[in-house]
Amino acid sequence: MEGITWDKEVDALVVGSGAGGMAAALTAREEGLDVLLVEKTGRIGGSTAISGGALWIPLNAQTEAAGHPDSMDRVWTYLEQTVGAAAPDDMKRAYLEAGPRMMDYLASRGILDVAARTASPDYYPDLPGAAMGGRSLDPLEFDGRRLGRDFRSLRDPLKEFTVLGGMMVNITDVRHLLRATRSFAAWRHSMKLVLRYAADRARGYHRGTRLLLGNALAAQLFHALLARKIDYWLDTPALELHRDPSGRVLGAAVARGGKTLNIRARRGVVMATGGFPWDPERRARTYPQPTGLWSMSPRDNAGDGIRLSESAGAALGTGHASPAFWAPVSVLESADGKRLHYPHLVWDRAKPGLIAVNGAGRRFVNESASYHEFVQAMYRSHDTAPSIPAFLICDQRFIDTWGLGLALPGGRPRQHLIDAGYLLQAPTLAALAARLGVPGDTLQATVERYNAHASQGLDPDFGKGSTAYNRYLGDPEHAPNPCLAPLAASPYYAVQVYPGDIGTACGIAANPDAQALDAAGAPIPGLYVAGNDMQSVMGGAYPGPGITLGPALTFGWIAGQHLAHAQH
């Protein structure tokens, strides 16, 4: 491009600060490149920072020690069953081969500290090649105080992952907190958490510094970014990609401090802006109907990287099984019109004493199925009966024990949720049916049939509690089926759930080197994609926990390696 004035020159420009972007930036720096990372928002971490943080990396170095020896043949068999032709074989193979190398690379350099799950079934454990653990890893707890004053630049987690106004908790913590008055071990664990949190707030931190889940993952990467003195610019959206006459991407124009700056990227640009879950127009073209802005992703993930890549000649991938990674979402609308979304991922649906019904008052799904499969079942059911929204229903005993969405367990206040219309309460099933607008006699019959079987630990209609994955999320202390119990203790409660998502699966087509491809399948020199800006290597299928962050890190690492070592 002639006549352009470059305001800054670097080897690599990374757009987006989630797992994919930070992995690309860190790898490029480790390999000797000068790197600049730009982030549209005022916080580092993207979708990663508000996620559950799991990484699905089969054949990682901890698999065998976790008690689940694995093999490429087994993993490939499982992916063929779950993903199949929805993603190209060369991309799946590149992911499986590079994933363990990526983990070894980042771990050996002190960038990531993770632990493989000893018990965590793949989402379809009855299929050939599935594993009961070892393939998914979790980031270890991270002390946010290590970030110093930059702690405030890390994106906060979802409120649903915190209690007491900012103390992060995981499932183990919640179980201890709920049993704190009944067990000395639980009380001791709970007191340790609360005292640490109180000390954080007393020292002036805006939230707790004990970081877990995806917030810990983002913090680990951010800490490594700071330690390597990688330049990062917040509040700096990318506006345009610059190309030469041959089509090679030379750099990008960004907005910073009220000015447009042109950044020259000698080796290339990596797009990792989080997909398009908050782009209404692209959602309308891509998602099944009906749909709405029910995403759990950050609201700034509006497809910037995909649009800019397309403007440079990149093509969208094809052949996906699903355009998004689904999750049922309930919505609390406040008096000022703001909406709070709650993702019903793993905490309530699988527990004993909850059912889901459609607008006809009938069950339509195994409530313990994965969040992705649950929403797919909503859409299938909607073809024959109104199922959007659907309703999660429980009784008093259930909500006191497990909670329901934003209604917390343990006798926490919930009247404000009832007053807001988020939580529906009624003394009888007939009255609840009237509140939901479903046929009362049908709902009564549905619950009676479910109760009769649940009391025996059976679900002949949908098989709730029939798989290892179902039981993993149930109540291990409840027999004979950890996922089944009758609904019998009035009053009854319900929340409406919508077909939300935790990110998009449609993105820019890429090759095994993470290079963006044009419509003819040729790589565009100087342009890379990672994270949800890349067409999902899972093809929109959801085989197990961590199949978004695992590929994001892996292809970010691949992009960083290619930037450093390929002929440019």
Side-chain angles (χ1 to χ4, degrees):
M1 177 179 287
E2 297 182 3
I4 191 168
T5 299
W6 299 108
D7 298 288
K8 184 177 177 65
E9 293 198 24
V10 292
D11 293 321
L13 173 64
V14 177
V15 184
S17 67
M22 285 198 280
L26 286 162
T27 304
R29 168 54 62 87
E30 286 291 303
E31 297 303 310
L33 300 188
D34 181 25
V35 182
L36 171 64
L37 183 146
V38 297
E39 164 60 40
K40 175 182 180 180
T41 74
R43 297 289 191 93
I44 287 282
S47 302
T48 302
I50 63 171
S51 72
L55 307 169
W56 199 74
I57 307 288
L59 309 174
N60 67 78
Q62 299 185 39
T63 300
E64 188 163 350
H68 301 278
D70 211 348
S71 70
M72 177 65 83
D73 285 346
R74 286 190 65 213
V75 182
W76 188 258
T77 297
Y78 183 64
L79 285 186
E80 285 296 278
Q81 299 288 315
T82 53
V83 178
D89 284 355
D90 63 341
M91 292 297 288
K92 290 181 291 191
R93 206 167 285 282
Y95 170 55
L96 294 178
E97 291 173 352
R101 293 166 51 213
M102 174 274 297
M103 287 303 309
D104 292 344
Y105 182 97
L106 297 183
S108 67
R109 287 162 170 78
I111 294 172
L112 278 188
D113 193 5
V114 299
R117 296 181 179 180
T118 56
S120 181
D122 288 333
Y123 286 175
Y124 301 93
D126 294 337
L127 292 180
M132 295 299 110
R135 290 176 180 170
S136 290
L137 306 108
D138 291 305
L140 296 187
E141 178 182 315
F142 185 85
D143 186 348
R145 294 172 295 194
R146 295 172 61 193
L147 296 174
R149 70 178 116 186
D150 294 292
F151 178 52
R152 280 194 172 272
S153 294
L154 178 69
R155 183 183 288 273
D156 292 340
L158 291 177
K159 291 182 179 179
E160 294 77 20
F161 293 153
T162 67
V163 297
L164 303 179
M167 182 178 81
M168 288 202 74
V169 291
N170 56 28
I171 288 180
T172 300
D173 297 330
V174 172
R175 287 174 176 157
H176 281 301
L177 288 166
L178 291 175
R179 294 173 55 85
T181 60
R182 305 195 303 272
S183 159
F184 177 73
W187 176 84
R188 185 173 55 188
H189 182 97
S190 301
M191 287 303 298
K192 184 178 178 182
L193 296 182
V194 172
L195 290 173
R196 161 74 184 269
Y197 177 57
D200 285 338
R201 298 308 294 264
R203 293 188 181 103
Y205 290 104
H206 71 289
R207 64 181 175 97
T209 60
R210 175 180 176 262
L211 308 185
L212 307 167
L213 310 170
N215 211 244
L217 177 63
Q220 289 185 23
L221 295 169
F222 187 28
H223 183 261
L225 205 76
L226 295 169
R228 286 153 182 78
K229 296 181 169 56
I230 296 174
D231 275 349
Y232 70 94
W233 293 356
L234 301 179
D235 297 307
T236 306
L239 305 175
E240 179 186 3
L241 289 174
H242 295 310
R243 294 181 291 162
D244 68 14
S246 73
R248 179 182 182 83
V249 172
L250 301 175
V254 303
R256 189 180 193 222
K259 298 179 180 179
T260 297
L261 304 178
N262 295 310
I263 312 299
R264 173 82 163 97
R266 292 181 287 264
R267 299 293 184 95
V269 176
V270 181
M271 283 295 178
T273 68
F276 63 91
W278 287 93
D279 178 348
E281 189 276 331
R282 199 182 288 269
R283 282 180 68 112
R285 283 192 282 121
T286 311
Y287 280 34
Q289 298 299 315
T291 188
L293 294 174
W294 300 313
S295 180
M296 293 307 306
S297 296
R299 297 182 184 226
D300 300 284
N301 291 12
D304 299 7
I306 293 174
R307 282 193 300 274
L308 292 177
S309 297
E310 287 177 319
S311 74
L316 284 175
T318 58
H320 55 264
S322 173
F325 300 112
W326 302 117
V329 168
S330 54
V331 181
L332 170 64
E333 187 162 355
S334 59
D336 60 5
K338 292 183 179 179
R339 293 185 168 190
L340 177 62
H341 294 175
Y342 179 90
H344 296 260
L345 300 175
V346 299
W347 181 249
D348 51 17
R349 289 181 298 104
K351 301 301 188 294
L354 176 146
I355 62 171
V357 301
N358 59 22
R362 295 187 175 92
R363 291 179 69 210
F364 62 93
V365 65
N366 174 348
E367 294 88 354
S368 299
S370 75
Y371 34 96
H372 185 74
E373 175 58 33
F374 187 99
V375 171
Q376 289 181 316
M378 287 178 71
Y379 276 116
R380 289 194 297 269
S381 176
H382 197 69
D383 289 339
T384 56
S387 303
I388 299 173
F391 308 98
L392 303 182
I393 297 176
C394 69
D395 65 4
Q396 184 72 48
R397 179 173 50 199
F398 182 96
I399 201 169
D400 287 344
T401 305
W402 303 109
L404 184 63
L406 291 169
L408 299 177
R412 302 289 182 82
R414 57 180 75 107
Q415 187 62 44
H416 64 292
L417 299 174
I418 295 172
D419 294 342
Y422 170 86
L423 182 65
L424 303 175
Q425 180 192 50
T428 66
L429 287 172
L432 185 65
R435 296 289 309 277
L436 302 180
V438 306
D441 55 347
T442 305
L443 181 61
Q444 186 74 42
T446 294
V447 173
E448 288 176 356
R449 176 175 173 81
Y450 167 83
N451 283 352
H453 291 115
S455 62
Q456 304 172 55
L458 303 173
D459 180 16
D461 297 323
F462 295 97
K464 186 178 184 184
S466 62
T467 74
Y469 174 68
N470 289 181
R471 295 187 291 273
Y472 168 69
L473 296 177
D475 177 4
E477 298 180 0
H478 180 80
N481 187 322
C483 302
L484 291 175
L487 283 69
S490 63
Y492 299 93
Y493 297 86
V495 293
Q496 297 183 95
V497 292
Y498 297 87
D501 67 70
I502 55 174
T504 50
C506 300
I508 298 299
N511 65 14
D513 292 321
Q515 293 176 290
L517 302 179
D518 63 19
I524 297 173
L527 183 59
Y528 299 81
V529 285
N532 287 356
D533 281 356
M534 174 189 279
Q535 175 78 355
S536 166
V537 72
M538 299 297 165
Y542 217 118
I547 55 80
T548 55
L549 289 177
L553 281 176
T554 300
F555 285 100
W557 177 79
I558 288 172
Q561 292 286 345
H562 199 265
L563 280 163
H565 300 299
Q567 295 294 323
H568 292 276

